[in-house]
Amino acid sequence: MRILSGIQPSGVLHIGNYFGMMRPAIALQSRGEAFYFIADYHALTSLHDPDALREHSRHVAIDFLACGLDPERAALFRQSDVPQVTELAWILGTVTPMSRLELAHSFKDKTARGVAASAGLFTYPVLMAADILIYDSDVVPVGKDQKQHIEITRDIATRINETFGSRKQPVFKLPEAQIHAATETVPGIDGQKMSKSYGNTIDIFGEEKETRKRVMSIVTDSRAVEAPKDPANSTIVQLYSLFATEAETAAMRESFRAGGTGYGEYKKQLFDKLWEFFAPMRQRRQEIISDASYVDNVLANGAERANAIADQVMSRVRAAVGLR
Ligand code: TYM
């Protein structure tokens, strides 16, 4: 089984990234051949600051390693270290209907928020399809916001197979998304999906004071301390359940219903759990940061492993479409 996923270095990683993608990806690294990359070409659709792009790319690598990615098992690499992926994106683009891309909600969301509607942003899903198909990937662990992109990938692969393959010899495998219901959309401090671009994140490796401030500013209703509260629609409970045991979460729900405790107290409990949860990873992160060459070596080795597969697949694709 080949597992693949990517993450954009467009900012600092948050707990939505962690529970939606990083933790499931780390759990899968011992179950097959895993390829995880830093989507720097994709980040260029929203970030035009070279120093920031370099800095974020490096930090995504550091943070992923600190969270438990094992480079002996999973290949960790920069998307741009496998430039053939842009060649494949071009080929895929020649069979992709414009109408399919016009329906993509990520394009609509981003342009609605004021991101410039560049050709790169519009064809973003085609490059993402290339990322997935160039490694003959079977499984793609992602959060729910990426589901449509995987569906587009499957459509594009089917079109290539119908145009250039045969039933006996398809050009591409069809990948499957892996999305876990409990963590498919981690809410941000305002209750919307947590996202770098909504400014509602709690970062994995934020400073203690800032992280506490963010947790304490989670939006709630204005029920008084004594009043019973609704655990079903509470962002606090939803986030707490990610860090606490089932029994602890059940106890918080019960206490909500009973009343007598203010939201501030629950937020403190959430902060304490969250801070404790990431403590070993913070420690590991310090060790990784203090060894400057470690990350470079991991990325170089990951790029080599990724290129070996991408070269094979591209030879097959070039032959199939008639470029060789
Ligand atoms: P990106 O960088 O926006 O997010 C990385 C991963 O984190 C997940 N995620 C979330 N999951 C649950 N709740 C949230 N609030 C939340 N926020 C983010 C995302 O679903 C994603 O899995 N297009 C991709 C990067 C990419 C990619 C690929 C992924 C490029 N090529 C090929 C898989 C395969 C993206 O922008 O993810």
Side-chain angles (χ1 to χ4, degrees):
M1 174 169 77
R2 196 164 287 153
I3 308 134
L4 170 121
S5 199
I7 190 160
Q8 285 196 74
S10 45
V12 175
L13 300 182
H14 53 73
I15 64 173
N17 297 131
Y18 178 77
F19 288 102
M21 179 276 206
M22 297 163 74
R23 189 175 66 170
I26 289 164
L28 283 169
Q29 68 189 357
S30 53
R31 304 258 318 275
E33 248 184 299
F35 289 85
Y36 301 139
F37 68 92
I38 302 154
D40 50 2
Y41 285 139
H42 275 119
L44 274 175
T45 59
S46 62
L47 181 65
H48 291 157
D49 176 340
D51 289 332
L53 182 59
R54 270 186 285 270
E55 168 87 6
H56 292 322
S57 295
R58 192 168 179 80
H59 275 100
V60 169
I62 291 169
D63 293 356
F64 217 149
L65 289 162
C67 287
L69 183 141
D70 175 0
E72 300 285 317
R73 295 180 188 274
L76 176 65
F77 59 99
R78 283 189 208 91
Q79 185 182 28
S80 60
D81 277 336
V82 189
Q84 306 91 300
V85 77
T86 60
E87 181 192 353
L88 180 58
W90 176 259
I91 296 170
L92 301 182
T94 64
V95 303
T96 307
M98 290 270 289
S99 56
R100 189 74 174 94
L101 299 177
E102 277 159 358
L103 293 174
H105 25 246
S106 80
F107 180 75
K108 287 195 254 175
D109 290 352
K110 285 181 185 163
T111 48
R113 273 188 285 109
V115 179
S118 65
L121 190 67
F122 186 65
T123 56
Y124 183 115
V126 182
L127 179 59
M128 182 156 161
D131 290 327
I132 297 171
L133 299 175
I134 205 167
Y135 303 108
D136 281 336
S137 311
D138 298 293
V139 179
V140 188
V142 283
K144 190 178 169 196
D145 59 353
Q146 299 301 315
K147 186 168 180 251
Q148 191 186 37
H149 287 149
I150 315 289
E151 287 161 6
I152 296 175
T153 301
R154 290 171 61 92
D155 280 3
I156 295 176
T158 304
R159 277 170 192 275
I160 290 277
N161 288 345
E162 284 169 354
T163 314
F164 300 108
S166 63
R167 190 169 303 186
K168 267 203 191 137
Q169 252 189 327
V171 182
F172 291 123
K173 280 187 186 177
L174 299 195
E176 300 280 346
Q178 188 205 66
I179 299 171
H180 296 292
T183 49
E184 63 179 22
T185 307
V186 174
I189 58 175
D190 57 358
Q192 310 286 315
K193 182 191 90 163
M194 187 177 289
S195 168
K196 288 171 264 215
S197 41
Y198 300 167
N200 64 359
T201 60
I202 299 172
D203 298 337
I204 304 174
F205 296 114
E207 294 290 331
E208 182 167 2
K209 205 168 151 208
E210 175 61 20
T211 306
R212 190 190 305 271
K213 202 171 116 199
R214 297 229 131 218
V215 171
M216 296 312 287
S217 54
I218 291 173
V219 175
T220 61
D221 57 35
S222 49
R223 255 169 250 223
V225 172
E226 318 75 56
K229 300 173 180 65
D230 175 16
N233 296 308
S234 164
T235 305
I236 303 173
V237 175
Q238 219 180 320
L239 291 176
Y240 187 74
S241 72
L242 299 171
F243 302 102
T245 63
E246 262 178 47
E248 287 165 336
T249 309
M252 184 180 273
R253 284 205 183 92
E254 191 46 44
S255 162
F256 259 62
R257 282 188 285 263
T261 308
Y263 287 120
E265 174 55 32
Y266 294 123
K267 290 178 185 176
K268 280 194 196 118
Q269 292 176 19
L270 167 60
F271 172 78
D272 289 344
K273 277 277 175 228
L274 178 154
W275 196 251
E276 183 188 298
F277 182 92
F278 289 116
M281 301 175 210
R282 277 196 298 277
Q283 164 95 38
R284 173 94 185 97
R285 188 166 178 271
Q286 281 317 313
E287 291 164 19
I288 294 169
I289 289 178
S290 63
D291 182 352
S293 60
Y294 176 73
V295 176
D296 294 333
N297 291 338
V298 166
L299 292 174
N301 176 273
E304 204 176 303
R305 286 152 69 188
N307 272 289
I309 311 272
D311 285 342
Q312 281 174 21
V313 174
M314 283 314 293
S315 299
R316 190 173 81 218
V317 173
R318 289 186 197 113
V321 304
L323 290 171
R324 289 293 179 279

